[in-house]
Amino acid sequence: MRTWWKRTDEARSGEGVDWREAEEFVRLHHAEVPSAGPVEARLREVAAEIEQTGTYTHTLDELTFGARVAWRNSGRCIGRLYWQSLRVRDRREVDTADAIADECVAHLREATNGGRIRPTITVFAPDRPGQRAARIRNDQLVRYAGYERDGEIVGDPSHLGLTREAAALGWEGRGGRFDVLPLLIEVKDHVEMRELPADAILEVPISHPHYPWFGELGLRWHAVPAISNMCLEIGGVCYPAAPFNGWYMGTEIGARNLADTGRYDQLPVIARRLGMDTSSDRTLWRDHTLVELNVAVLHSFAEAGVTMTDHHTEAKRFMTHLEKEERSGRVCPADWSWIVPPLSGALTPVFHRYYDDVALRPSFTHHRGL
Amino acid sequence: MRTWWKRTDEARSGEGVDWREAEEFVRLHHAEVPSAGPVEARLREVAAEIEQTGTYTHTLDELTFGARVAWRNSGRCIGRLYWQSLRVRDRREVDTADAIADECVAHLREATNGGRIRPTITVFAPDRPGQRAARIRNDQLVRYAGYERDGEIVGDPSHLGLTREAAALGWEGRGGRFDVLPLLIEVKDHVEMRELPADAILEVPISHPHYPWFGELGLRWHAVPAISNMCLEIGGVCYPAAPFNGWYMGTEIGARNLADTGRYDQLPVIARRLGMDTSSDRTLWRDHTLVELNVAVLHSFAEAGVTMTDHHTEAKRFMTHLEKEERSGRVCPADWSWIVPPLSGALTPVFHRYYDDVALRPSFTHHRGL
Ligand code: HEM
Ligand code: HEM
């Protein structure tokens, strides 16, 4: 099943670090990275620091390893083959709205990399006992506004709430279909708003390799999917602001964001232009149109020189990942309903097998009331 | 996940009926069907019979109710809206291979109904303590043979084993792509083979509404999907031979049986005829071809006057079913990975919600070593 609230936990800021989680992580790190040195010495350090302060500070090595393993443990992510290549930007000293916004912009620029997208995470300050760190309210760094006017929705319907919040803070959207929302950053007990500079956001206009009219639909999407509202949990420490990105798999845009009736709902519009017979579901006009939209998305990203994967390629890569994990003697947690692509599920090898859906740590977690 | 062995139980023939299961069922029946009379009297009867014989005999009412509720409880079935209309053929007195084969033929004829397919179940003798009833080894009444010749497979690869078994019993397949296998019926400790008469099996040749060459591919499929290797469990009693059928949802044939690389694997063939660019997965030629194959399947069944549903319609019906069940105060068990269709999953409303995946009784069960 596909809504995120199943696996949520209550946020745990305020409490001290659970020693068992810290120990489990430190032992994992030293087991997988022998060059980290003797584990007992590090465990004594960590224990002493927790004793004194209720928490402890990860070394840069631990942070990097923890973030990468959190990705490796993300049971919903089909893109995990390259988990070891995650670039980790350590910004734990950063905790003001201005500095956080600046670093998000820097993250976007470095991750975008002129189109050759680099999987990247920026880790801001962790929660500490009695001290709630900053959070980003946007679910991704780049999100399009949604406006309701006279019962009609313009833009992305799934961001009506975020748009309303921004408006309440004084944001004036232009009322367009693809207006990038400002960042809403929670610091202490209030929310601050920061606009993202347009030149930090690469976008791709959607066209079709065979239908010249497709471009006239005015569809576009941003190049970098950077999830910004999940908590990175490493060894009992919560990093509530830790935006991370990979590159897009085409179906995320073509079979969900632009297609879902609760999102941009473009299939009826495209079907009309394609001249499809929409008189009955049985003509499969939706299925046919969906394929054309996905062809357009993949084509447009390629034309723009922006990294994007298709679901066939990515499913094969994931099978390779599973084999590698198995050879390493590790369980690979995976959630069938998220791993199987929303388009032509049974055509991909990931459809035809069973997975362990265990929760391993470190992890990315949706906290209720984050 | 989609393989059936997750939920299997060991077969339980040999043991007596569990009184708690019998009681639970009788109470359910009387609660839902008040006209069944006072429950306590019936419970005393059942208890006495179990005491004496180790099992008990369902009334025709109980059998009918039990079979329908087993369908209602089938978490993997999207077609449950009409569960109350299941036709129940009581053939519990039938237990020889000849009579079972005859009744399977009669089932096919009645269920086929000239194309206006009727959901039907035929219930043969139950297991009794120390007395294993007959079983049908074929997973469906109508199955196509698969032959391996010089490393090439002709026919349905998923029935190589069944075909080999039939051959060992003396069956001589014609070596074609769509040869209907004989029934393999287990009685006592041996397996008997019975051919199905050709005129009991309605088949549909597959053609496409726009591409005349499609018919030249020589594809066809049978009209009635009748699962024959699941055990119907009612109130502690196991009916191991209880073939049941609905009508097909197009994707079962178009997105699985004829498309899977482990089945008829027709996409490369069709794509070539369509002139698709198969040089890269990114052209989505598989996805495109899959839609055309599914269009062909739906079209052909309609042309032939054979009941078939499409995944959009059936998903909507299932949403109606869920609402009705909720209004009745019942939990509706459902397994996301089976309910969501293998084609354009996210286009159907069933994709976008969460289900209870509880095991309720009565039920249809795959028994290991059935
Ligand atoms: C490198 C390319 C990557 C690809 C192609 C990829 C692909 C995907 C896809 C298709 C999903 C499902 C999204 C949905 O259906 O809404 C997903 C989910 C997820 N991915 Fe990845 N991913 C990539 C990189 C990453 C990275 C770098 C991380 C973390 C460091 C990550 C962590 C996750 C997590 C936590 C989820 C679940 C999100 C949620 O619960 O809402 N992925 N990924
Ligand atoms: C009336 C039309 C029906 C439709 C359209 C329908 C549709 C489906 C579909 C699409 C599946 C998944 C098949 C697969 O992916 O392999 C399924 C599974 C199932 N259906 Fe139905 N069904 C119908 C009638 C019935 C009836 C009459 C029964 C029993 C009385 C039934 C019991 C089941 C069961 C037990 C499964 C799971 C099979 C397994 O575990 O292998 N269905 N159904």
Side-chain angles (χ1 to χ4, degrees), chain B residues 161-337:
Chain B
L162 205 56
T163 307
R164 247 183 258 118
E165 266 190 73
L169 291 167
W171 187 66
E172 291 183 19
R174 283 171 293 122
R177 296 166 76 198
F178 297 99
D179 299 345
V180 174
L181 284 162
L183 289 179
L184 300 185
I185 303 166
E186 243 182 279
V187 269
K188 304 275 158 24
D189 49 2
H190 65 290
V191 177
E192 302 214 10
M193 189 168 73
R194 294 293 181 278
E195 291 271 6
L196 292 165
D199 67 353
I201 299 162
L202 182 58
E203 290 180 277
V204 177
I206 310 295
S207 63
H208 191 286
H210 311 313
Y211 303 112
W213 51 261
F214 209 102
E216 298 163 19
L217 300 173
L219 303 177
R220 54 197 295 122
W221 207 258
H222 53 92
V224 177
I227 295 181
S228 46
N229 68 344
M230 292 184 84
C231 181
L232 170 61
E233 288 194 34
I234 303 176
V237 177
C238 280
Y239 297 94
F244 58 84
N245 75 279
W247 47 77
Y248 265 117
M249 183 160 88
T251 55
E252 296 180 75
I253 301 169
R256 304 298 314 276
N257 303 348
L258 293 177
D260 277 4
T261 52
R263 301 292 297 281
Y264 280 83
D265 195 16
Q266 290 298 299
L267 297 186
V269 182
I270 300 168
R272 208 171 308 133
R273 300 296 294 261
L274 284 168
M276 300 289 309
D277 171 7
T278 59
S279 63
S280 151
D281 281 341
R282 260 184 102 99
T283 66
L284 304 191
W285 65 269
R286 280 178 212 283
D287 309 73
H288 190 106
T289 307
L290 187 67
V291 175
E292 295 299 353
L293 173 54
N294 278 276
V295 165
V297 167
L298 285 162
H299 163 81
S300 308
F301 271 64
E303 284 285 290
V306 176
T307 314
M308 169 171 273
T309 184
D310 67 85
H311 52 296
H312 301 288
T313 305
E314 207 56 28
K316 278 186 220 151
R317 282 192 193 142
F318 187 66
M319 298 303 283
T320 306
H321 174 64
L322 286 171
E323 281 161 32
K324 283 180 81 167
E325 288 301 291
E326 203 169 312
R327 271 203 309 278
S328 307
R330 286 191 290 260
V331 168
C332 178
D335 178 338
W336 196 96
S337 67

Side-chain angles (χ1 to χ4, degrees), chain B residues 4 46 69 82 103 124 157 210 224 285:
Chain B
W4 57 259
V46 169
V69 174
Y82 306 122
E103 284 300 338
F124 293 110
H210 311 313
V224 177
W285 65 269

Side-chain angles (χ1 to χ4, degrees), chain B residues 2 71 74 76-79 86 119 227 230 244-247 249 252 309 314 338 364 366:
Chain B
R2 309 259 326 168
W71 182 10
S74 296
R76 297 168 164 187
C77 180
I78 194 173
L86 180 68
I227 295 181
M230 292 184 84
F244 58 84
N245 75 279
W247 47 77
M249 183 160 88
E252 296 180 75
T309 184
E314 207 56 28
W338 281 70
F364 292 105
H366 285 286

